[in-house]
Amino acid sequence: MRTLLIFFIVAPACEIGVLLLSGKTIGVLPTVLLIILTGFVGAYLAKKQGIQAVRNLQKEIQYGRIPSNAILDAIAILVGGIMLLTPGFISDIVGLFLLFPITRNWVKPFLIQFIKKWIDKHTIHIIRP
């Protein structure tokens, strides 16, 4: 319930506050253009990083290894791309953080813990062939 509260109330309120501050500081038109620019840059980066993640995933499978690191990269890139396409500066910062490999590596341990919690609570099920 707390997670939903953050995603649907707190995060948008913070985004609106930052957008209003930006509009007041640099002007409305530059703010809108900056949001559009980050959307295009985000789409480009997400596509580029996503293609690389798919290649890494295919390489791991080709060599007969479990592609856990490649899957974590793909999840982070997908979320990062969505965050960059979402209008707002806070979401753009989070999206960029997830798209760059150096910073994405900082997030992976938290992502692993999050997935383990889901598995432990039986929220997510692993189906083995």
Side-chain angles (χ1 to χ4, degrees):
M1 189 67 177
R2 285 182 291 174
T3 307
L4 291 175
L5 179 71
I6 290 170
F7 280 130
F8 290 117
I9 297 174
V10 176
C14 291
E15 287 284 10
I16 291 169
V18 171
L19 288 171
L20 289 172
L21 180 65
S22 174
K24 185 177 179 182
T25 305
I26 64 172
V28 174
L29 186 60
T31 299
V32 170
L33 292 175
L34 197 54
I35 291 169
I36 292 170
L37 177 69
T38 59
F40 281 118
V41 170
Y44 170 76
L45 287 173
K47 180 181 176 185
K48 184 178 176 185
Q49 291 291 319
I51 290 170
Q52 184 62 40
V54 169
R55 286 186 186 140
N56 291 341
L57 186 67
Q58 290 171 337
K59 190 186 327 178
E60 293 291 319
I61 291 171
Q62 183 180 11
Y63 291 131
R65 295 187 288 231
I66 297 172
S68 59
N69 197 33
I71 290 172
L72 290 173
D73 280 337
I75 291 170
I77 290 166
L78 175 66
V79 172
I82 291 170
M83 295 298 283
L84 276 166
L85 292 174
T86 303
F89 295 122
I90 298 171
S91 61
D92 289 345
I93 291 168
V94 172
L96 286 172
F97 194 81
L98 291 172
L99 282 184
F100 291 120
I102 293 170
T103 53
R104 186 172 53 234
N105 288 333
W106 296 344
V107 175
K108 286 181 191 178
F110 299 107
L111 187 57
I112 290 170
Q113 283 181 335
F114 189 69
I115 292 170
K116 282 182 181 179
K117 283 182 185 178
W118 274 2
I119 293 170
D120 291 343
K121 290 181 180 180
H122 301 290
T123 306
I124 188 170
H125 300 282
I126 307 297
I127 300 172
R128 298 181 186 179

